Amino acid sequence: MLYWLYQITSINILQYITVRAGIAFFVSFCITLFLVPKFVKWAKSKNAHQPIYDLAPKSHQEKSHTPTMGGLVFLFSTIFASVLCVKLDNIFALGGILSITLFGLIGIKDDISKIVGSSNQAGLSKRAKIVLQTIAGFVIALLLFYNSSLGSELYIPFYKNSLGNLGLFAIAFWMLVMISASNAVNLTDGLDGLATVPSIFSMLTLSAFVYISGHAILSTYLLLPKISGVGEVVIIAAALVGALTAFLWYNCYPAEVFMGDSGSLSLGAFIAYMAIISKNELLLILIGFVFVLETLSVILQVGSFKTRKKRIFYMAPIHHHFEIKGWAENKIIIRFWIIALMSNLIALMEIKLR
C-alpha cells in the first residue's frame, strides 16, 4: 500500500525496500507491544493457559497457568504491517504472507485443541499435523515453482555455482525444508524465549541474503543468485522481527505468555521460506543451528531407545536434558542464544567466502 502511495504521490523514499522495512518493523513492534497485555488479560479470563506435558521437568508445572497462543498477536501484527508496506503484486511477498498464514492456522488448530482438551496430548495427532503441513508446503512450493522467477537450482554453502537443476524434485525438496524447519522451531519452543531470539537471528541473516539476491548490482558483485523481486520479502521479515522483539518483552524469562504452536510453526515455515527463495536451503542448517541441535537430540534419543533400549540424554529435546542436570532455565536460554548468534555470524561469512 505504501508503494502504491509512492506511485500516486511520488514520495520518493517510499520506493525503497529499506525504508518500508523500517516502517514495517516499527508498526508491528508497536501493535504487538500494545496488544499483548490485552491478549494476556483476555486469555486468563478464558482459561486459555498452557497445558504442560506430564513428563516435562517438575519446574514446568509452575507454568501451567501461563496463557498460550501469543503467536496470534505477533502474526496479526506481522501480516498487518506487511500488507501496509509490501508491493502486493509481488509473488514472493504473497508467498511469504501465505506461508505465515497457512502454518499459523495449523498451529492455531493445535493450540485450541490442547486448551479445550486441557492436555498437551489433546492437540493434533502427529500424523494429522504432518498431513496439514505437507498440504501447506505443497501449496507454497507450487506457487514458487510455477509462478516465480526463482528457478530450481540447488546451491551449497561457500560455493558460487549451482550443483544442478532439481526440476520437479524441487517441489518435494522445498516441502521437506518447510516441514522440517517448522517442526524444529516447534520443538525448540520449550523454554521462555528460547525460540524467539534464534528466530530473530535467523531472519536477520536470511534478510541479508534475500536483499542481496534481489539487488542486481550487489548480487553480481557478491556472486549470489540473482532473483528479481525477491527483496520485498525483507519487509515481511522486518515486520516479523519487530513483532517478535515486542513479544520478547513479555515472553522472556519468566514468561507472561507463550507463543504456542500458532507462533512456532509459522516462524519455522517462514524461516524456511526465506532460505528457499535465497537458495540457502542447505546453509539453513548453520543459520538455524539451535533448531537443528534440538531436533537431532530428539531423533538420537528416540533412535537409541528403540534400538538399544537406552537413552542418550536425561530427556529430549536437549534443553530439558540441561534442566534435569540442574542448569538454571535462564542460563540455558542465554547460552542457546549465544550459540545461535555465533552460528549466524559464521553463516553471514558465506556472503563473501565463495
Side-chain angles (χ1 to χ4, degrees), residues 216-233:
I217 298 174
L218 288 178
S219 60
T220 301
Y221 174 69
L222 293 171
L223 304 177
L224 290 178
K226 180 183 175 183
I227 307 163
S228 178
V230 78
E232 285 290 311
V233 179

Side-chain angles (χ1 to χ4, degrees), residues 205-331:
T205 298
L206 286 165
S207 290
F209 284 98
V210 170
Y211 182 79
I212 293 170
S213 290
H215 195 288
I217 298 174
L218 288 178
S219 60
T220 301
Y221 174 69
L222 293 171
L223 304 177
L224 290 178
K226 180 183 175 183
I227 307 163
S228 178
V230 78
E232 285 290 311
V233 179
V234 173
I235 298 169
I236 303 173
L240 189 47
V241 168
L244 282 177
T245 303
F247 183 73
L248 185 63
W249 186 270
Y250 305 98
N251 182 235
C252 63
Y253 180 83
E256 299 173 47
V257 61
F258 298 138
M259 70 170 66
D261 285 12
S262 54
S264 59
L265 291 180
S266 54
L267 277 179
F270 183 68
I271 289 169
Y273 180 80
M274 292 188 73
I276 290 167
I277 64 173
S278 62
K279 299 296 184 182
N280 283 308
E281 300 96 337
L282 299 181
L283 187 64
L284 186 59
I285 295 171
L286 183 57
I287 293 171
F289 184 71
V290 165
F291 306 133
V292 173
L293 184 66
E294 295 274 23
T295 305
L296 280 177
S297 70
V298 173
I299 294 171
L300 291 172
Q301 184 85 324
V302 173
S304 176
F305 189 77
K306 284 186 174 181
T307 56
R308 306 187 303 140
K309 302 301 179 184
K310 293 182 179 179
R311 292 180 173 86
I312 299 173
F313 309 103
Y314 290 126
M315 188 175 180
I318 198 170
H319 58 258
H320 289 321
H321 169 82
F322 292 115
E323 276 190 287
I324 295 173
K325 282 191 69 174
W327 287 23
E329 181 174 342
N330 56 345
K331 180 173 287 189

